[in-house]
Coordinates of all heavy atoms in Angstrom, one line a residue:
M28 N 31.8 70.8 200.8 CA 32.7 71.7 201.6 C 33.8 70.9 202.2 O 33.5 69.8 202.9 CB 31.9 72.5 202.6 CG 32.8 73.3 203.5 SD 31.8 74.1 204.8 CE 32.1 75.8 204.4
K29 N 35.0 71.3 202.1 CA 36.1 70.5 202.7 C 36.2 70.8 204.2 O 36.1 71.9 204.6 CB 37.5 71.0 202.0 CG 38.6 70.2 202.4 CD 39.9 70.6 201.6 CE 41.0 69.7 202.1 NZ 42.2 70.0 201.4
K30 N 36.4 69.7 204.9 CA 36.5 69.8 206.4 C 37.8 70.5 206.8 O 38.9 70.1 206.3 CB 36.5 68.4 207.0 CG 36.5 68.4 208.5 CD 36.3 66.9 209.0 CE 36.4 66.9 210.5 NZ 36.4 65.6 211.0
K31 N 37.7 71.4 207.7 CA 38.9 72.1 208.1 C 39.6 71.3 209.2 O 39.0 70.7 210.1 CB 38.5 73.5 208.8 CG 39.7 74.3 209.2 CD 39.3 75.6 209.8 CE 40.5 76.4 210.3 NZ 40.1 77.6 210.9
N32 N 40.9 71.2 209.1 CA 41.8 70.5 210.0 C 41.7 71.2 211.4 O 42.1 72.4 211.4 CB 43.2 70.4 209.5 CG 44.1 69.5 210.4 OD1 43.8 69.3 211.5 ND2 45.1 69.0 209.8
S33 N 41.3 70.5 212.4 CA 41.2 71.2 213.7 C 42.2 70.7 214.7 O 41.9 70.8 215.9 CB 39.7 71.0 214.2 OG 39.5 69.6 214.5
F34 N 43.3 70.0 214.3 CA 44.2 69.5 215.2 C 44.9 70.6 216.0 O 45.2 71.7 215.4 CB 45.3 68.7 214.5 CG 44.8 67.5 213.7 CD1 45.3 67.2 212.5 CD2 43.8 66.7 214.2 CE1 44.9 66.1 211.8 CE2 43.3 65.6 213.5 CZ 43.9 65.3 212.3
K35 N 45.0 70.4 217.3 CA 45.7 71.4 218.1 C 46.9 70.7 218.8 O 46.7 69.7 219.4 CB 44.7 71.9 219.2 CG 43.6 72.6 218.6 CD 42.6 73.1 219.7 CE 41.4 73.7 219.0 NZ 40.3 73.8 219.9
F36 N 48.0 71.3 218.6 CA 49.3 70.7 219.1 C 49.8 71.4 220.3 O 49.8 72.6 220.3 CB 50.3 70.7 218.0 CG 49.9 69.9 216.8 CD1 49.3 70.5 215.7 CD2 50.1 68.5 216.7 CE1 49.0 69.8 214.6 CE2 49.8 67.8 215.6 CZ 49.2 68.4 214.5
K37 N 50.3 70.6 221.2 CA 51.1 71.1 222.3 C 52.1 70.1 222.6 O 51.9 69.1 223.2 CB 50.3 71.3 223.6 CG 51.1 71.8 224.8 CD 50.3 71.9 226.0 CE 51.2 72.3 227.2 NZ 50.5 72.2 228.5
V38 N 53.3 70.3 222.0 CA 54.4 69.3 222.2 C 55.5 70.0 223.1 O 56.0 71.1 222.7 CB 55.0 68.9 220.9 CG1 56.2 67.9 221.1 CG2 53.9 68.2 220.0
V39 N 55.7 69.5 224.2 CA 56.7 70.0 225.1 C 58.0 69.2 225.0 O 57.9 68.0 225.2 CB 56.2 70.0 226.6 CG1 57.3 70.6 227.5 CG2 54.9 70.8 226.7
S40 N 59.1 69.8 224.6 CA 60.3 69.0 224.4 C 61.5 69.7 225.1 O 61.4 70.9 225.5 CB 60.6 68.7 223.0 OG 60.8 69.9 222.3
G41 N 62.6 69.0 225.2 CA 63.8 69.6 225.8 C 63.9 69.1 227.2 O 65.0 69.2 227.8
S42 N 62.9 68.6 227.8 CA 63.0 68.2 229.2 C 63.3 66.7 229.3 O 63.5 66.1 230.3 CB 61.6 68.4 229.9 OG 60.6 67.6 229.3
G43 N 63.4 66.0 228.1 CA 63.6 64.6 228.1 C 62.3 63.8 228.3 O 62.3 62.6 228.3
D44 N 61.2 64.5 228.6 CA 59.9 63.8 228.8 C 58.9 64.5 227.9 O 58.1 65.3 228.4 CB 59.6 63.9 230.3 CG 58.4 63.1 230.6 OD1 58.0 62.1 229.9 OD2 57.7 63.4 231.7
D45 N 58.9 64.2 226.6 CA 58.0 64.8 225.7 C 56.6 64.5 226.0 O 56.2 63.3 226.4 CB 58.3 64.4 224.3 CG 59.6 64.9 223.8 OD1 60.2 65.8 224.4 OD2 60.1 64.4 222.7
E46 N 55.7 65.5 226.0 CA 54.3 65.2 226.2 C 53.5 65.5 225.0 O 53.7 66.5 224.3 CB 53.8 66.2 227.4 CG 54.6 65.9 228.7 CD 54.1 66.8 229.8 OE1 52.9 67.1 229.8 OE2 54.9 67.3 230.5
L47 N 52.5 64.7 224.7 CA 51.7 64.9 223.5 C 50.3 65.0 223.9 O 49.7 64.1 224.4 CB 51.9 63.6 222.6 CG 53.3 63.4 222.1 CD1 53.4 62.0 221.5 CD2 53.8 64.4 221.1
F48 N 49.7 66.2 223.8 CA 48.4 66.5 224.3 C 47.6 67.2 223.2 O 47.7 68.4 223.1 CB 48.4 67.3 225.5 CG 49.0 66.7 226.7 CD1 50.3 67.1 227.1 CD2 48.4 65.7 227.4 CE1 50.9 66.5 228.2 CE2 48.9 65.1 228.5 CZ 50.2 65.5 228.9
D49 N 47.0 66.5 222.3 CA 46.2 67.2 221.2 C 45.2 66.1 220.7 O 45.2 65.0 221.1 CB 47.1 67.8 220.1 CG 47.9 66.8 219.5 OD1 47.4 65.8 219.0 OD2 49.2 67.0 219.4
D50 N 44.4 66.6 219.7 CA 43.4 65.7 219.2 C 43.8 65.0 217.9 O 43.0 64.4 217.3 CB 42.1 66.4 219.0 CG 42.2 67.5 218.0 OD1 43.3 67.9 217.6 OD2 41.2 68.1 217.6
C51 N 45.1 65.0 217.6 CA 45.7 64.3 216.4 C 45.7 62.8 216.7 O 46.2 62.4 217.7 CB 47.1 64.9 216.2 SG 48.0 63.9 215.0
P52 N 45.1 62.0 215.8 CA 45.0 60.6 216.0 C 46.4 60.0 216.1 O 46.6 59.0 216.9 CB 44.3 60.1 214.8 CG 43.5 61.2 214.3 CD 44.3 62.4 214.6
I53 N 47.4 60.5 215.4 CA 48.8 59.9 215.5 C 49.4 60.2 216.9 O 49.9 59.3 217.5 CB 49.6 60.5 214.4 CG1 49.0 60.2 213.0 CG2 51.1 60.0 214.5 CD1 49.5 61.0 211.9
C54 N 49.2 61.4 217.4 CA 49.7 61.8 218.7 C 49.0 61.0 219.8 O 49.6 60.6 220.8 CB 49.7 63.3 218.9 SG 50.7 64.2 217.9
Q55 N 47.7 60.8 219.6 CA 46.9 60.1 220.6 C 47.4 58.6 220.6 O 47.5 58.0 221.7 CB 45.4 60.2 220.3 CG 44.9 61.5 220.5 CD 45.0 62.0 222.0 OE1 44.7 61.2 222.9 NE2 45.5 63.2 222.2
A56 N 47.7 58.0 219.5 CA 48.2 56.6 219.5 C 49.6 56.6 220.1 O 49.8 55.6 220.9 CB 48.3 56.1 218.0
M57 N 50.4 57.5 219.9 CA 51.7 57.6 220.5 C 51.6 57.7 222.0 O 52.3 57.1 222.8 CB 52.6 58.7 219.9 CG 52.9 58.4 218.5 SD 53.8 59.7 217.6 CE 55.3 59.8 218.6
K58 N 50.7 58.6 222.5 CA 50.5 58.8 223.9 C 49.9 57.6 224.6 O 50.4 57.2 225.6 CB 49.5 60.0 224.1 CG 49.2 60.3 225.5 CD 48.2 61.4 225.7 CE 47.8 61.7 227.1 NZ 46.8 62.6 227.2
A59 N 49.0 56.9 223.9 CA 48.4 55.6 224.5 C 49.5 54.6 224.6 O 49.6 53.9 225.7 CB 47.3 55.1 223.6
A60 N 50.4 54.4 223.6 CA 51.4 53.5 223.7 C 52.4 53.8 224.9 O 52.8 53.0 225.6 CB 52.2 53.4 222.4
K61 N 52.7 55.1 225.0 CA 53.6 55.6 226.0 C 53.1 55.2 227.4 O 53.8 54.8 228.3 CB 53.9 57.1 225.9 CG 54.9 57.6 226.9 CD 55.1 59.1 226.7 CE 56.1 59.6 227.7 NZ 56.3 61.1 227.5
E62 N 51.8 55.4 227.6 CA 51.1 55.1 228.8 C 51.2 53.6 229.1 O 51.1 53.3 230.3 CB 49.6 55.6 228.8 CG 49.5 57.1 228.9 CD 48.1 57.6 228.6 OE1 47.2 56.8 228.3 OE2 47.9 58.8 228.8
Q63 N 51.2 52.8 228.1 CA 51.4 51.4 228.3 C 52.8 50.9 228.4 O 53.1 49.7 228.5 CB 50.7 50.6 227.1 CG 49.2 50.9 227.0 CD 48.7 50.3 225.7 OE1 49.3 49.5 225.0 NE2 47.5 50.7 225.4
G64 N 53.7 51.9 228.4 CA 55.2 51.6 228.5 C 55.8 51.0 227.3 O 56.7 50.2 227.4
K65 N 55.3 51.3 226.1 CA 55.8 50.7 224.9 C 55.8 51.7 223.8 O 55.3 52.8 223.9 CB 55.0 49.5 224.5 CG 53.5 49.8 224.1 CD 52.7 48.6 223.7 CE 51.4 48.9 223.1 NZ 51.4 49.1 221.7
E66 N 56.3 51.3 222.7 CA 56.3 52.1 221.4 C 55.1 51.6 220.6 O 54.7 50.5 220.7 CB 57.6 51.9 220.6 CG 58.8 52.5 221.2 CD 58.8 54.0 221.3 OE1 58.4 54.6 220.4 OE2 59.3 54.5 222.4
P67 N 54.5 52.5 219.8 CA 53.3 52.1 219.0 C 53.8 51.1 218.0 O 54.9 51.2 217.4 CB 52.8 53.4 218.4 CG 53.9 54.3 218.5 CD 54.8 53.9 219.7
T68 N 52.9 50.1 217.7 CA 53.2 49.1 216.7 C 53.0 49.7 215.3 O 52.3 50.7 215.2 CB 52.4 47.8 216.9 OG1 51.0 48.2 216.6 CG2 52.5 47.2 218.2
Q69 N 53.5 49.0 214.3 CA 53.3 49.5 213.0 C 51.9 49.5 212.6 O 51.4 50.4 212.0 CB 54.1 48.6 212.0 CG 54.0 49.0 210.6 CD 54.9 48.2 209.6 OE1 55.6 47.3 210.0 NE2 54.9 48.6 208.4
E70 N 51.1 48.5 213.1 CA 49.7 48.4 212.8 C 48.9 49.5 213.5 O 48.0 50.2 212.9 CB 49.1 47.1 213.2 CG 47.7 46.8 212.7 CD 47.6 46.9 211.2 OE1 48.4 46.4 210.5 OE2 46.6 47.5 210.7
E71 N 49.3 49.9 214.7 CA 48.7 51.0 215.4 C 48.9 52.3 214.7 O 48.1 53.1 214.6 CB 49.2 51.1 216.9 CG 48.7 49.9 217.7 CD 49.4 49.8 219.1 OE1 50.6 50.3 219.2 OE2 48.9 49.3 220.0
L72 N 50.2 52.5 214.2 CA 50.5 53.7 213.5 C 49.8 53.8 212.2 O 49.3 54.9 211.8 CB 52.0 53.8 213.3 CG 52.8 54.1 214.5 CD1 54.3 54.1 214.2 CD2 52.5 55.5 215.1
K73 N 49.7 52.7 211.5 CA 48.9 52.7 210.2 C 47.5 53.1 210.4 O 46.9 53.9 209.7 CB 49.0 51.3 209.5 CG 50.3 51.0 208.8 CD 50.2 49.7 208.1 CE 51.4 49.3 207.4 NZ 51.4 48.0 206.7
E74 N 46.9 52.6 211.5 CA 45.5 52.9 211.8 C 45.4 54.4 212.2 O 44.4 55.1 211.8 CB 45.0 52.0 212.9 CG 43.5 52.2 213.2 CD 42.6 51.9 212.0 OE1 42.9 50.9 211.2 OE2 41.5 52.5 211.9
A75 N 46.3 54.9 212.9 CA 46.3 56.3 213.4 C 46.5 57.2 212.1 O 45.8 58.2 212.0 CB 47.4 56.5 214.4
F76 N 47.4 56.9 211.2 CA 47.6 57.7 210.0 C 46.3 57.6 209.1 O 45.9 58.6 208.6 CB 48.8 57.2 209.2 CG 50.1 57.8 209.7 CD1 50.8 57.3 210.7 CD2 50.6 59.0 209.1 CE1 52.0 57.8 211.1 CE2 51.7 59.6 209.5 CZ 52.5 59.0 210.5
K77 N 45.7 56.4 209.1 CA 44.4 56.3 208.3 C 43.4 57.2 208.9 O 42.7 58.0 208.1 CB 44.0 54.9 208.3 CG 42.7 54.6 207.5 CD 42.3 53.2 207.6 CE 40.9 53.0 207.0 NZ 40.4 51.6 207.2
K78 N 43.2 57.2 210.2 CA 42.2 58.1 210.9 C 42.6 59.6 210.6 O 41.7 60.4 210.4 CB 42.2 57.8 212.4 CG 41.3 58.7 213.2 CD 39.9 58.5 212.9 CE 39.1 59.3 213.9 NZ 37.9 59.9 213.3
A79 N 43.9 59.9 210.7 CA 44.3 61.3 210.5 C 43.9 61.8 209.1 O 43.4 62.9 208.9 CB 45.8 61.5 210.7
K80 N 44.1 60.8 208.1 CA 43.8 61.2 206.7 C 42.3 61.4 206.6 O 41.9 62.3 205.9 CB 44.3 60.0 205.8 CG 44.1 60.3 204.3 CD 44.6 59.2 203.5 CE 44.5 59.6 202.0 NZ 45.1 58.6 201.1
E81 N 41.5 60.5 207.2 CA 40.0 60.7 207.1 C 39.6 62.0 207.8 O 38.6 62.6 207.4 CB 39.4 59.5 207.9 CG 39.5 58.2 207.2 CD 39.1 57.0 208.0 OE1 38.7 57.2 209.2 OE2 39.1 55.9 207.5
D82 N 40.4 62.5 208.7 CA 40.1 63.7 209.4 C 40.6 65.0 208.7 O 40.4 66.1 209.2 CB 40.6 63.7 210.9 CG 39.8 62.8 211.8 OD1 38.8 62.3 211.4 OD2 40.3 62.5 212.9
G83 N 41.3 64.7 207.6 CA 41.7 65.9 206.7 C 43.2 66.1 206.7 O 43.6 67.1 206.1
A84 N 44.0 65.3 207.4 CA 45.4 65.5 207.4 C 46.0 65.0 206.0 O 45.4 64.2 205.4 CB 46.1 64.7 208.5
I85 N 47.1 65.6 205.7 CA 47.8 65.2 204.4 C 48.7 64.0 204.8 O 49.6 64.1 205.6 CB 48.6 66.3 203.8 CG1 47.7 67.4 203.4 CG2 49.5 65.8 202.6 CD1 48.4 68.7 203.0
V86 N 48.4 62.8 204.2 CA 49.1 61.6 204.6 C 49.6 61.0 203.3 O 48.8 60.9 202.3 CB 48.2 60.6 205.3 CG1 48.9 59.3 205.6 CG2 47.7 61.3 206.6
G87 N 50.8 60.5 203.2 CA 51.3 59.9 202.0 C 52.4 58.9 202.4 O 52.8 58.7 203.5
G88 N 53.0 58.3 201.3 CA 54.1 57.4 201.5 C 53.7 56.0 201.1 O 52.7 55.7 200.6
E89 N 54.7 55.1 201.3 CA 54.5 53.7 200.9 C 53.3 53.0 201.5 O 52.6 52.2 200.8 CB 55.7 52.9 201.3 CG 57.0 53.3 200.5 CD 56.9 53.0 199.0 OE1 56.4 51.9 198.7 OE2 57.3 53.8 198.2
W90 N 52.9 53.3 202.7 CA 51.8 52.6 203.4 C 50.5 53.0 202.7 O 49.5 52.2 202.8 CB 51.7 53.1 204.8 CG 52.6 52.5 205.8 CD1 53.5 51.4 205.5 CD2 52.8 52.8 207.1 NE1 54.2 51.1 206.7 CE2 53.8 52.0 207.6 CE3 52.3 53.8 207.9 CZ2 54.3 52.1 208.9 CZ3 52.8 53.9 209.2 CH2 53.7 53.1 209.7
F91 N 50.4 54.1 202.0 CA 49.1 54.6 201.5 C 49.0 54.6 200.0 O 48.1 55.3 199.5 CB 48.9 56.0 202.1 CG 48.9 56.0 203.6 CD1 50.1 56.4 204.2 CD2 47.9 55.5 204.3 CE1 50.1 56.3 205.6 CE2 47.9 55.5 205.7 CZ 49.0 55.9 206.4
K92 N 49.9 53.9 199.3 CA 49.8 53.8 197.8 C 48.8 52.7 197.5 O 48.6 51.8 198.1 CB 51.2 53.5 197.2 CG 52.1 54.7 197.3 CD 53.4 54.4 196.6 CE 54.2 55.7 196.7 NZ 55.4 55.6 196.1

C-alpha cells in the first residue's frame, strides 16, 4: 500500500516575514536555518529533499539522478 502524503502547509506571505509551519522536511530545514539566522546549506537541502522523497513527496532533478 502506498503511503499517503500527509504534509500540511501554512505559508504566510506578503508581510515580508514568511513563516513555514508544517511537517514537510524541506520547510522544516528552511525554518531551522532561519532560526539560526542563515540560509540552508546545499547539503541540508539535499538531506531534506531525500527525507521528503522517503515520506512520499515527488522529488526529481539533477541531485537525484
Side-chain angles (χ1 to χ4, degrees):
M28 175 184 244
K29 187 174 180 179
K30 183 178 176 182
K31 183 179 177 186
N32 185 339
S33 65
F34 298 141
K35 296 176 184 163
F36 297 96
K37 176 184 176 190
V38 178
V39 180
S40 62
S42 65
D44 189 21
D45 292 347
E46 298 180 39
L47 303 167
F48 298 103
D49 59 54
D50 62 351
C51 167
I53 299 162
C54 293
Q55 290 299 311
M57 293 173 65
K58 181 181 176 186
K61 183 178 181 181
E62 288 172 351
Q63 296 172 15
K65 65 180 190 88
E66 293 293 321
T68 65
Q69 185 174 1
E70 191 58 40
E71 290 168 336
L72 286 174
K73 281 184 180 181
E74 187 62 32
F76 273 88
K77 180 181 174 186
K78 174 71 173 138
K80 184 175 182 178
E81 290 169 357
D82 289 348
I85 298 172
V86 177
E89 292 294 319
W90 283 349
F91 304 99
K92 289 185 177 181

